[in-house]
Amino acid sequence: MARVTLPEEIYRRLKTMILDGGLAPGELVTIQGLASAFGVSAMPVREALQRLTAEGALRVISGRSVGIPELESDRLADLTKVRVEIESLAASWATPLIGKDEIAKLDALVETMTKAVEDGDTRAYVRGNHDFHFTIYAASGSATLLSVIEGLWLQVSPYFHLLHGVRGAGNYDNANHEHKLILKAIRAGDAKACAAHLRGDIESATAGLLKLLG
């Protein structure tokens, strides 16, 4: 068994932080700040940040600070085209394989997101949204698909913070309605409907973000 190197472990932690809403657009982190938080030297943090920068998940703001890169409409459109195909496929594969425990978890996550909307807790919603989607994708049984989806989410998921309070398509209420329909389709064992509602969820979020981008 190969040991996980320290830079790899820091990379995984940072990736999780980005994916589950721990870093929002406009927030900056420094190499030294992260090194202190993780209790390590600056070198493994620097290596991990270089990987995430190369993957398009982070951007160097200044010599020592990094943050989420600005989102451009053409890049968002490209990401969306790929996401709807890959993620709806994963949802379709997952539907017949999801068991009672996963369904109970998905149900709890929908309630968590409902409460987050009521409380105006953006971070809780973004984290719940991540966990909801990836519980489904993990159930597809494909590590390859899951890896591809993680790469796509690294580039887009931080912007879900911006959808709080957006009117119409893309807001949290609208998205959680789609989540309920996805869960209903999973319970019915309807892979086609699950994929369709998953696609609708992604396209609705994109429409909301495009409004913000003008």
Side-chain angles (χ1 to χ4, degrees), residues 2-214:
R3 290 186 177 182
V4 175
T5 65
L6 188 55
E8 178 68 23
E9 176 61 24
I10 299 302
Y11 169 78
R12 290 182 184 182
R13 291 189 189 184
L14 288 171
K15 185 168 71 169
T16 298
M17 184 173 75
I18 295 168
L19 287 171
D20 73 3
L23 186 61
E27 293 183 19
L28 299 179
V29 292
T30 64
I31 293 173
Q32 193 55 54
L34 290 170
S36 297
F38 294 142
V40 299
S41 69
M43 184 60 71
V45 174
R46 186 177 289 109
E47 290 182 29
L49 290 175
Q50 286 174 346
R51 285 182 65 182
L52 289 164
T53 300
E55 292 170 359
L58 293 173
R59 180 171 68 89
V60 177
I61 307 300
S62 67
R64 298 183 179 183
S65 299
V66 296
I68 302 298
E70 292 182 10
L71 184 63
E72 298 176 352
S73 58
D74 57 347
R75 178 166 163 250
L76 175 60
D78 185 44
L79 284 167
T80 299
K81 286 180 183 178
V82 179
R83 287 187 63 211
V84 293
E85 298 299 329
I86 298 297
E87 294 179 41
S88 61
L89 177 63
S92 179
W93 286 4
T95 300
L97 301 176
I98 291 180
K100 292 181 179 179
D101 289 345
E102 287 99 336
I103 289 176
K105 180 179 179 180
L106 292 171
D107 196 36
L109 286 167
V110 168
E111 292 304 314
T112 295
M113 285 183 279
T114 298
K115 186 176 187 303
V117 172
E118 294 172 352
D119 294 344
D121 191 339
T122 301
R123 286 193 184 278
Y125 184 91
V126 173
R127 188 174 297 111
N129 180 66
H130 167 269
D131 291 348
F132 180 88
H133 281 266
F134 277 83
T135 296
I136 296 171
Y137 303 149
S140 70
S142 173
T144 302
L145 264 182
L146 194 62
S147 178
V148 172
I149 293 170
E150 279 190 346
L152 295 169
W153 272 59
L154 278 172
Q155 299 179 67
V156 73
S157 63
Y159 303 103
F160 297 157
H161 285 273
L162 306 179
L163 293 172
H164 176 64
V166 171
R167 293 185 178 182
N171 66 22
Y172 290 167
D173 276 323
N174 181 275
N176 216 26
H177 176 67
E178 291 288 354
H179 294 154
K180 292 173 183 177
L181 294 175
I182 291 168
L183 184 52
K184 181 179 179 181
I186 289 172
R187 281 197 170 102
D190 191 338
K192 185 176 180 180
C194 181
H197 291 304
L198 194 286
R199 179 183 291 263
D201 184 30
I202 294 172
E203 291 177 340
S204 179
T206 296
L209 289 173
L210 285 172
K211 286 182 193 175
L212 296 174
L213 294 175

